[in-house]
């Protein structure tokens, strides 16, 4: 009933994509359940080593015969002086103390070259394991990488936060583009638009304008949780939706129990954007860490430096069930999140959409 050119290309029944969510949310159970329910499951592999990625791909292949994809972070160059790092460590020290752990002064940052090496090895795994779909966020990979993946007939999906970025994705030769609206949970995928304000375009504006200026299929992402969001996105010109928060609270997701609970109890005005956790703007449920860091967040080191510096805090907070210091990523529609199975989420979306179609 919802088949279109994109669903045919992706070999899925319904235009519903489970957002890749790096950091342990996209378990094999979640990805396989989505693909088995007629949608497209995605591994959020941004923080994975190539061998961890290979292992998860094989695990999912053993669980489903259906298509699924892998999402990667495109490495970006970054710079931080010893002084910047020392300053950030000083600001973070009280949080380490609150959690009764010590902050190691000698932190190992992955160099840009090392990140590129890991990225290339992740790409190799995707090719060797015959993964049919690969998506990217935080930028566009090099021409060589795009050509190599295309040579192996792998479908490529980029991420954009503005029409201009979507045009850049199209020009790079990708097959489709995720339009990430300002409502979206998790990190912003902007790469050309350097200021936060300019990259924060709502989906209601973004989809139809992209539909008028971009020729590859559009995938809408941000605040979509049910059949209403799916149908609205399709009417505005998208060919599919990519949903993160709606899948994050599903039983099969690997999100921390407290993260799920906080999203399930939050309201739309309690999710905010912050760059305090990682050095990159991201949307999540506001907590003490975000509030305490607000004054300094604009002068913190860039991603992935700040991400590495807060790693100890996030890990200890998770182990100690201290939600005030965890990153609780969520989109702007938490009131619509439910504690349910993937099967029930997808069936509900389809029946709501069916009713809307016939009304
Ligand atoms: C916990 C979490 C982690 C995310 N990680 C990634 C990621 O690794 N790669 C990516 O392209 N997008 C990531 N996103 C963003 C999603 O792709 C998508 O844009 C977003 O979830 C849409 O908004 P919604 O959460 O309101 O559905 C993440 C989102 C969340 C909530």
């Amino acid at each position: 009933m919802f088949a279109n050119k994109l669903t045919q290309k992706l070999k899925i029944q319904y235009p519903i994509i489970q957002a890749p969510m790096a950091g342990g949310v996209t378990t094999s159970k979640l990805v396989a359940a989505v693909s088995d329910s007629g949608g497209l499951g995605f591994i959020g592999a941004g923080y994975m080593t190539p061998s961890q990625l290979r292992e998860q791909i094989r695990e999912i292949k053993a669980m489903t015969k259906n298509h699924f994809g892998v999402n990667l972070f495109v490495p970006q160059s970054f710079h931080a002086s010893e002084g910047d790092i020392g300053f950030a460590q000083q600001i973070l020290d009280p949080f380490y103390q609150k959690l009764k752990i010590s902050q190691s002064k000698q932190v190992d940052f992955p160099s840009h070259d090392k990140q590129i090496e890991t990225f290339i090895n992740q790409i190799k795994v995707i090719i060797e394991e015959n993964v049919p779909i690969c998506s990217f966020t935080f930028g566009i990979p090099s021409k060589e990488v795009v050509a190599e993946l295309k040579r192996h007939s792998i479908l490529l999906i980029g991420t954009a936060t503005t029409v201009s970025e979507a045009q850049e994705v199209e020009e790079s030769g990708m097959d489709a583009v995720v339009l990430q609206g300002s409502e979206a949970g998790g990190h912003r995928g902007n790469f050309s638009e350097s200021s936060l304000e300019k990259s924060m375009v709502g989906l209601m504006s973004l989809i139809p304008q992209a539909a008028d200026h971009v020729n590859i299929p559009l995938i809408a992402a941000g605040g979509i949780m049910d059949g209403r969001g799916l149908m609205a996105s399709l009417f505005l010109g998208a060919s599919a939706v990519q949903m993160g928060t709606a899948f994050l609270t599903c039983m099969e997701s690997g999100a921390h129990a407290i993260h799920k609970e906080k999203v399930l109890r939050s309201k739309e005005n309690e999710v905010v954007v912050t760059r305090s956790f990682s050095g990159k703007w991201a949307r999540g449920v506001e907590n003490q860490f975000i509030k305490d860091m607000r004054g300094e967040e604009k002068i913190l080191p860039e991603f992935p430096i700040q991400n590495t510096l807060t790693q100890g805090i996030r890990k200890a907070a998770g182990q100690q069930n201290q939600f005030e210091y965890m990153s609780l990523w969520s989109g702007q529609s938490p009131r619509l999140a439910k504690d349910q199975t993937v099967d029930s989420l997808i069936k509900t979306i389809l029946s709501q959409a069916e009713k809307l179609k016939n009304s």
Side-chain angles (χ1 to χ4, degrees):
M1 140 177 108
F2 294 106
N4 59 39
K5 277 188 193 145
L6 181 65
T7 58
Q8 280 160 14
K9 268 191 177 178
L10 298 173
K11 295 203 172 66
I12 54 174
Q13 228 177 326
Y14 310 118
I16 300 173
I17 301 173
Q18 164 248 305
M21 290 178 272
V25 180
T26 55
T27 57
S28 301
K29 262 191 181 171
L30 178 72
V31 177
V34 176
S35 293
D36 275 343
S37 305
L40 184 67
F42 248 103
I43 304 177
Y47 300 120
M48 284 185 189
T49 62
S51 60
Q52 286 169 333
L53 175 58
R54 193 187 301 277
E55 201 180 314
Q56 192 176 9
I57 292 170
R58 291 188 176 171
E59 194 173 65
I60 297 169
K61 277 188 190 164
M63 295 166 82
T64 180
K65 294 274 163 288
N66 293 343
H67 265 187
F68 63 91
V70 170
N71 170 266
L72 299 178
F73 295 166
V74 178
Q76 292 166 296
S77 56
F78 57 89
H79 171 76
S81 67
E82 291 286 314
D84 294 340
I85 294 170
F87 168 76
Q89 284 178 318
Q90 208 181 326
I91 292 174
L92 292 172
D93 226 28
F95 299 100
Y96 276 93
Q97 282 171 23
K98 261 180 210 151
L99 291 162
K100 301 193 172 54
I101 46 166
S102 51
Q103 176 173 203
S104 60
K105 296 290 162 215
Q106 218 51 48
V107 191
D108 244 354
F109 298 107
S111 68
H112 185 52
D113 287 350
K114 177 76 196 149
Q115 287 198 322
I116 292 179
E117 188 189 315
T118 304
F119 179 71
I120 295 298
N121 287 330
Q122 289 170 325
I123 297 281
K124 275 190 192 148
V125 170
I126 289 169
I127 293 172
E128 284 164 10
E129 296 296 323
N130 292 314
V131 176
I133 303 149
C134 182
S135 76
F136 301 94
T137 188
F138 305 161
I140 298 176
S142 68
K143 278 193 184 117
E144 291 75 24
V145 168
V146 170
E148 183 64 4
L149 288 164
K150 293 200 100 174
R151 207 167 63 76
H152 288 87
S153 307
I154 297 173
L155 271 158
L156 304 182
I157 304 176
T159 302
T161 61
T162 57
V163 175
S164 321
E165 285 184 347
Q167 286 172 322
E168 284 187 60
V169 169
E170 178 176 13
E171 279 157 23
S172 76
M174 300 229 194
D175 301 282
V177 59
V178 172
L179 297 174
Q180 190 188 40
S182 55
E183 306 89 337
H187 284 107
R188 306 291 307 144
N190 57 304
F191 55 95
S192 274
E193 203 51 80
S194 54
S195 90
L196 171 72
E197 286 79 6
K198 290 186 180 173
S199 86
M200 294 294 268
V201 183
L203 268 186
M204 185 76 97
S205 297
L206 191 52
I207 308 172
Q209 294 188 81
D212 285 349
H213 295 284
V214 178
N215 300 305
I216 51 175
L218 309 174
I219 300 165
I224 302 165
M225 310 289 283
D226 57 21
R228 293 172 293 185
L230 169 64
M231 291 307 279
S233 303
L234 297 180
F235 270 116
L236 288 170
S239 297
V241 293
Q242 174 163 298
M243 306 191 304
T245 307
F247 284 107
L248 183 146
T249 60
C250 280
M251 282 160 64
E252 295 88 341
S253 117
H256 194 295
I258 290 185
H259 186 173
K260 291 186 184 181
E261 192 191 309
K262 280 285 149 196
V263 172
L264 288 165
R265 287 166 187 242
S266 290
K267 303 189 181 88
E268 69 290 347
N269 56 356
E270 291 167 340
V271 284
V272 296
V273 285
T274 179
R275 64 184 292 278
S276 300
F277 280 111
S278 68
K280 197 180 258 305
W281 291 101
R283 187 181 288 288
V285 179
E286 188 170 50
N287 58 9
Q288 201 57 48
F289 183 78
I290 296 178
K291 284 185 205 160
D292 290 351
M293 293 289 285
R294 186 129 290 150
E296 269 82 36
E297 71 182 335
K298 289 200 173 134
I299 45 172
L300 293 170
E302 288 174 273
F303 184 91
I305 302 216
Q306 180 68 5
N307 198 54
T308 310
L309 293 176
T310 65
Q311 215 162 25
I313 295 174
R314 288 177 287 118
K315 194 170 165 209
Q319 285 164 349
Q320 298 174 22
N321 291 331
Q322 296 246 33
F323 70 86
E324 296 288 12
Y325 307 100
M326 290 164 65
S327 53
L328 305 166
W329 302 141
S330 167
Q332 280 184 314
S333 308
R335 289 188 201 243
L336 305 177
K338 288 202 179 90
D339 176 12
Q340 60 188 339
T341 61
V342 162
D343 182 59
S344 125
L345 170 64
I346 294 190
K347 281 196 175 127
T348 309
I349 296 174
L350 293 172
S351 81
Q352 291 167 334
E354 179 79 35
K355 271 191 203 134
L356 285 169
K357 220 176 175 186
N358 299 324
S359 64

